[in-house]
Amino acid sequence: MSKTIKSYTLSNVRTIPQLASLSPELIREMEITGRALPFKTNNYVTDELIDWSNIDSDPVFTLNFPRREMLEKRHYAAIEKLVDQQVGDEALSRKVQQIRLSLNPNPAGQEQNVPLLGEIRLRGIQHKYPETVLFFPSQGQTCHAYCTFCFRWPQFSGMSELKFAMKETGLFLNYLRLHKDVTDILFTGGDPMIMSAGALETYIKPLLQSEFSHIRSIRIGTKSLTYWPYRYLTDKDSDDLFRLFDSIIAAGKHLSIQAHFNHPVELSTLAVGQAIARLRSAGAQIRTQSPLLRHINDKPELWSEMWRKQVDAGCIPYYMFVVRDTGARHYFELPLEKCWNIFRRAYRQVSGLCRTVRGPSMSHYAGKIQVLGVQDVRGEKVFVLRFIQARNPRWVDIPFFAAYDPKATWFDQLKPAFGEKFFFEEQNPKWLTEKQFLFE
Ligand SMILES: *Cc1c(COP(=O)(O)O)cnc(C)c1O
Ligand code: SF4
């Protein structure tokens, strides 16, 4: 039976049937908060994932619906005041824009990863690690629903000057012709699976030609298995999508779905089970990742359950991230030590088949930094860290130390241990320049 997506945004949120069970105060707070944080959900999420009898702690409700506490008090108060005064859309948008800009819409210097082709800045590409190029197809810069913690949110809140999207496949292909060291293309967004099979094909088909034989893996970063599994089942171009996937595999390339799952409940419906099964039988691998989020998944048992369910379904647990320094971060963040404790308590409960997961990892400007743990070294309490990925590949997998700080929630708040510098700061001061790795 085919299922038609019905999207809900702020303008029609009150037509969600289950909303009738919520208090008017909660709905009002949601509408005020939703002015600043992007809001979108759909009928699969509201009908099959959210438990409406337990909204206070429901993880998927928290994942999609803005709650008052997600904004700082002063920001919430400012919007509420303007709404109550009925100042009109223009004054409200100005305020909202100002608040959004203060929420660090582009964390970790993503702008620095945008490469050059001759004189042209390729706004739709990020190339940070030598082997993998991120591509942001312009039609994929939205999602089937929006996560309240998302760091890509400038892309869907009308802040177009910050958009990384790029229409021109031609430039993208030229860039890849010049970079034979690139083996992986990661289509990302937003969510590339929002695109029609035809649009996806325009980007993917050229990569299957022999001149791009250096591209070994096509990866697609997506939350569609949570937000719209029917993408793989009954959408009108679902079969075309699988024909495209077949052609990737027939060309001898690896197809990896980098799936975002934040909570085991997202793996519980019939539709998601069928979608995973269809992808697996098409020959795709599904690797899973999620940030660690207070109020959504901050218990070791949820992670161990999630990883087990993923492995049961034939998926490969891949990354646990530390929540990024953007948007509603203050609502979702946890101290690094706590992140590590949740990770290891979950990790020790599962079999080796689940222990392909790595984390907790911070996507920092310098690279993906993993918190290996807290340890005493000759009387000084320290964090032990390592790069899983680094701007300079030579830094990868070298343990290094930061002074213990029970409150720190991000790498920038850490100081080197033992009164030293971080080893990568001592190196060539030019490490900050773009694409240094190409010259090493
Ligand atoms: C995470 C990430 C990648 C992919 O890293 P893998 O460890 O290979 O999955 C590539 N580019 C950027 C900018 C990333 O943040
Ligand atoms: S699916 Fe990904 S890009 Fe889309 S809102 Fe969620 S975290 Fe952001």
Side-chain angles (χ1 to χ4, degrees), residues 25 38 92 150 180 219 270 355:
E25 192 50 26
L92 197 57
C150 181
K180 300 285 187 198
R219 309 199 208 175
L270 188 62
R355 294 189 193 185

Side-chain angles (χ1 to χ4, degrees), residues 170-334:
L171 290 173
F172 167 55
L173 296 177
N174 279 342
Y175 187 79
L176 297 181
R177 284 186 186 101
L178 292 173
H179 291 99
K180 300 285 187 198
D181 49 342
V182 174
T183 57
D184 289 34
I185 305 298
L186 174 47
F187 288 90
T188 181
D191 192 331
M193 293 312 302
I194 202 96
M195 291 195 278
S196 68
L200 260 179
E201 185 174 341
T202 320
Y203 294 113
I204 291 178
K205 261 282 154 71
L207 298 174
L208 308 183
Q209 294 160 7
S210 58
E211 68 169 315
F212 296 109
S213 59
H214 57 296
I215 306 301
R216 303 311 314 146
S217 301
I218 308 281
R219 309 199 208 175
I220 301 176
T222 181
K223 191 149 173 78
S224 53
L225 284 166
T226 289
Y227 285 156
W228 192 246
Y230 301 101
R231 183 73 196 92
Y232 305 95
L233 302 173
T234 61
D235 277 4
K236 63 178 187 307
D237 61 348
S238 295
D239 293 346
D240 299 333
L241 189 62
F242 278 91
R243 273 189 283 276
L244 175 62
F245 290 168
D246 288 345
S247 69
I248 296 173
I249 304 219
K253 298 192 199 291
H254 177 56
L255 172 60
S256 183
I257 304 296
Q258 310 282 138
H260 299 203
F261 288 110
N262 305 121
H263 190 279
V265 74
E266 296 165 38
L267 291 149
S268 66
T269 68
L270 188 62
V272 72
Q274 290 174 340
I276 290 173
R278 190 167 182 195
L279 282 164
R280 296 281 300 117
S281 64
Q285 282 289 10
I286 303 169
R287 294 181 174 79
T288 61
Q289 59 194 45
S290 169
L292 174 49
L293 303 153
R294 196 156 62 95
H295 300 295
I296 291 184
N297 61 21
D298 55 346
K299 297 203 169 42
E301 294 68 32
L302 291 176
W303 285 86
S304 52
E305 183 189 348
M306 186 158 69
W307 294 334
R308 275 194 213 105
K309 281 192 162 144
Q310 288 165 356
V311 167
D312 288 349
C315 308
I316 304 170
Y318 194 60
Y319 275 131
M320 175 205 268
F321 292 116
V322 178
V323 73
R324 292 183 83 139
D325 46 346
T326 182
R329 166 198 192 171
H330 72 96
Y331 182 81
F332 292 111
E333 73 184 358
L334 289 156

Side-chain angles (χ1 to χ4, degrees), residues 8 37 58 166 168 222 230 269 292 296 326 374 404 407:
Y8 300 107
L37 301 177
D58 186 76
M166 184 172 74
E168 304 86 339
T222 181
Y230 301 101
T269 68
L292 174 49
I296 291 184
T326 182
V374 174
Y404 174 71
K407 292 208 193 80

